[in-house]
Amino acid sequence: DYVRFCCQHVLEACRADLELLQNLKYDTELIERLTLVSESSFGRISYTEAIELLQKDIASGVAKERRGGVEFENPVEWGCDLASEHERYIAEIIGELIGGSQREERLDVLERRCVEMDLEPKDYHWYIDLRRFGTVTHSGFGLGFERLVLFATGIENIRDVIPFPRWPNNAEL
């Protein structure tokens, strides 16, 4: 309902902007797509269902065919972090707009995962210390704002819709 409401609001409040974007050929079906989304229900699948769908389509060759002969770069197995390429395959065009997760609160697991991912734990001391000195199990839900703007404008590159400049190594901790 959240994404449907956002699409309805953009269609009502920003129609002239949408027409301009569509006329500039960013997305020639922009208004039609937003209207369709604003009037449709979203499907929901669990993580396990997503993995099963991906594995089935990979094994049958459907995934490679739908991706223009290109195979996934990242492996798909239960327990893996889904990559953007997997999300886009499951939820065509934009990938995940809304998601939820639970943060790892176990210090030993967090430290072991840093090593598994070839991350230097000392670079993440501030985050690890949050677990070392006490935390509680916590989860979250969120809408990817830039992804929603990308979806609502038809612009192809997410860097073109970020509201302020960001680049590697510009945020000091």
Side-chain angles (χ1 to χ4, degrees):
D1 290 343
Y2 189 18
V3 173
R4 287 176 47 209
F5 171 81
C6 290
C7 289
Q8 288 168 350
H9 180 76
V10 167
L11 284 164
E12 293 168 9
C14 306
R15 189 64 171 220
D17 296 317
L18 295 175
E19 290 171 355
L20 174 65
L21 288 167
Q22 188 164 292
N23 290 337
L24 291 173
K25 309 288 190 232
Y26 281 107
D27 183 344
T28 58
E29 299 172 351
L30 178 61
I31 294 171
E32 180 183 342
R33 183 170 42 80
L34 291 173
T35 301
L36 177 67
V37 170
S38 74
E39 296 172 350
S40 302
S41 296
F42 278 80
R44 292 182 176 93
I45 61 173
S46 68
Y47 172 82
T48 299
E49 291 168 324
I51 295 297
E52 289 171 353
L53 181 143
L54 287 163
Q55 288 176 331
K56 180 180 86 96
D57 284 5
I58 290 168
S60 69
V62 170
K64 187 174 179 180
E65 182 181 320
R66 273 184 54 195
R67 292 171 44 88
V70 177
E71 294 186 7
F72 287 118
E73 289 182 25
N74 299 286
V76 176
E77 58 186 32
W78 203 95
C80 75
D81 294 329
L82 291 177
S84 293
E85 64 180 346
H86 304 136
E87 293 174 0
R88 280 192 208 101
Y89 181 81
I90 293 168
E92 293 180 28
I93 301 172
I94 199 77
E96 179 186 55
L97 282 175
I98 294 179
S101 65
Q102 180 172 319
R103 308 302 179 251
E104 181 55 65
E105 78 277 0
R106 298 167 294 180
L107 179 61
D108 61 323
V109 174
L110 184 60
E111 289 175 327
R112 184 175 67 244
R113 189 73 173 131
C114 281
V115 171
E116 289 171 4
M117 299 297 296
D118 291 325
L119 300 173
E120 187 61 49
K122 68 178 178 155
D123 293 338
Y124 298 91
H125 68 88
W126 58 273
Y127 189 78
I128 292 170
D129 283 351
L130 293 172
R131 296 341 185 239
R132 182 182 327 280
F133 300 115
T135 189
V136 297
T137 302
H138 57 289
S139 302
F141 145 87
L143 172 97
F145 179 73
E146 285 96 350
R147 287 189 181 192
L148 179 64
V149 173
L150 190 78
F151 182 75
T153 60
I155 293 174
E156 292 181 10
N157 192 319
I158 199 160
R159 286 174 284 202
D160 294 332
V161 299
I162 294 174
F164 56 91
R166 293 188 291 196
W167 60 91
N169 303 316
N170 78 323
E172 294 182 20
L173 298 174

